Amino acid sequence: MERPSWAPPGIDISVPSVSRIYDYYLGGSHNFEVDRQAARRAMEFMPGLPKIMQANRAFMRRAVRYAVAEGVTQFLDIGSGIPTFGNVHEIAQAASPEARVVYVDHDPVAVAHSQAVLAGTERTGVVAADLRKPQDILSAPEVAQGLDLSRPVALMLVAVLHFLEDSDEPYAAVTQLCEALAPGSLLILTHASYEGIPLSEEVASGTVGVYREIRNPLVMRDAEQIRRFFDGFGLIEPGLVSMPDWRPDTTGGSEDEGEGEGPGEDPYAFSGFAGVGRKA
């Protein structure tokens, strides 16, 4: 297998990566054939996966704009993935030039590309760390230098918690991160669930099986299990809802062009849950 020039040295390009699979769903070019094969297998069971990812990105952008409008201009984006158009720093800094963003991911391809994209970009940083080890994130120099944790921060856990199994203690990891945040901080997250998927659970579980086969288990949690991540945070209206239902853009703006919402939205877009909470 030929190694692309953009692939960081030392990574195994024969092993699929969830961040590169996500990149493929979004139409990106930073993925390998092994990632594309895994994505196509998953789509055999759930053909609407790309639409789910588009809805996820659209929610993320709306949530970032909401945060800035509420005066929160610091963002800690964990599980940030491979940079694509409309990254958190682009949305945040368009709304507030003083916005600061630190990206965190454990995939070396995602980290390398984030560093390349952000080279020369002010008020941004990249950390190579794993959500399973929150102290490594909190103690990273990039976080200390890039964010003031004595002021409100928007903690972004978008499409990442469903890759943590219960044995990884995801609730404890989120609690540890949130305890480090100042009052007024926001928790922005999305999470996969069987609820809302326009398929039977039996069929949808085929996709879950594909992720298990590539050693990146996809954990589907129900609404109540997902709501637990917001312990200590007050859910902002409309609460924990499907991604298109969280404060849909009704202005006709172009930020989410191609990721439309409303009565004509693809039913796959309503799979899973999204929410934003504020720390008291």
Side-chain angles (χ1 to χ4, degrees), residues 126-213:
V126 185
V127 176
D130 194 315
L131 175 55
R132 298 171 181 84
K133 298 179 179 179
Q135 191 54 47
D136 289 355
I137 297 172
L138 295 170
S139 62
E142 295 86 351
V143 172
Q145 295 165 11
L147 303 176
D148 179 358
L149 296 185
S150 70
R151 296 174 46 238
V153 172
L155 172 61
M156 306 193 64
L157 299 173
V158 177
V160 64
L161 286 167
H162 46 236
F163 290 113
L164 269 62
E165 298 183 273
D166 290 343
S167 60
D168 294 319
E169 300 186 328
Y171 297 105
V174 172
T175 296
Q176 187 171 347
L177 289 166
C178 291
E179 286 178 344
L181 303 181
S185 292
L186 301 176
L187 174 58
I188 298 171
L189 70 78
T190 62
H191 198 296
S193 177
Y194 284 120
E195 297 180 45
I197 296 177
L199 295 170
S200 69
E201 182 174 328
E202 181 181 9
V203 173
S205 66
T207 290
V208 175
V210 171
Y211 279 89
R212 187 180 303 111
E213 289 172 9

Side-chain angles (χ1 to χ4, degrees), residues 19-257:
S19 64
R20 297 194 304 266
I21 292 172
Y22 187 88
D23 178 70
Y24 173 75
Y25 290 144
L26 291 176
S29 59
H30 294 105
N31 48 76
F32 307 135
E33 180 57 29
V34 67
D35 305 308
R36 296 188 286 272
Q37 289 175 355
R40 288 191 288 263
R41 289 205 315 274
M43 289 170 63
E44 289 177 4
F45 299 98
M46 199 181 299
L49 281 168
K51 191 61 188 180
I52 296 173
M53 308 313 164
Q54 290 171 13
N56 187 76
R57 292 283 294 182
F59 160 78
M60 177 274 286
R61 294 167 186 167
R62 295 196 307 279
V64 168
R65 291 193 291 268
Y66 170 83
V68 173
E70 291 292 304
V72 179
T73 57
Q74 301 188 101
F75 297 84
L76 180 58
D77 185 2
I78 302 178
S80 51
I82 294 171
T84 58
F85 174 75
N87 290 314
V88 171
H89 75 278
E90 293 172 325
I91 302 300
Q93 292 176 358
S96 172
E98 299 305 310
R100 296 178 173 271
V101 180
V102 175
Y103 294 105
V104 181
D105 207 289
H106 72 286
D107 185 327
V109 172
V111 171
H113 278 282
S114 295
Q115 291 170 334
V117 167
L118 297 173
T121 303
E122 296 182 354
R123 296 179 296 281
T124 60
V126 185
V127 176
D130 194 315
L131 175 55
R132 298 171 181 84
K133 298 179 179 179
Q135 191 54 47
D136 289 355
I137 297 172
L138 295 170
S139 62
E142 295 86 351
V143 172
Q145 295 165 11
L147 303 176
D148 179 358
L149 296 185
S150 70
R151 296 174 46 238
V153 172
L155 172 61
M156 306 193 64
L157 299 173
V158 177
V160 64
L161 286 167
H162 46 236
F163 290 113
L164 269 62
E165 298 183 273
D166 290 343
S167 60
D168 294 319
E169 300 186 328
Y171 297 105
V174 172
T175 296
Q176 187 171 347
L177 289 166
C178 291
E179 286 178 344
L181 303 181
S185 292
L186 301 176
L187 174 58
I188 298 171
L189 70 78
T190 62
H191 198 296
S193 177
Y194 284 120
E195 297 180 45
I197 296 177
L199 295 170
S200 69
E201 182 174 328
E202 181 181 9
V203 173
S205 66
T207 290
V208 175
V210 171
Y211 279 89
R212 187 180 303 111
E213 289 172 9
I214 64 172
R215 300 177 187 176
N216 284 286
L218 178 60
V219 182
M220 307 291 253
R221 296 186 171 97
D222 62 29
E224 190 52 43
Q225 291 171 318
I226 297 167
R227 193 173 284 107
R228 281 183 56 199
F229 287 114
F230 288 97
D231 284 354
F233 284 69
L235 273 168
I236 292 165
E237 290 295 331
L240 188 66
V241 294
S242 67
M243 292 177 288
D245 288 329
W246 196 89
R247 298 183 176 237
D249 181 9
T250 58
T251 65
S254 61
E255 291 94 339
D256 297 333
E257 186 174 353

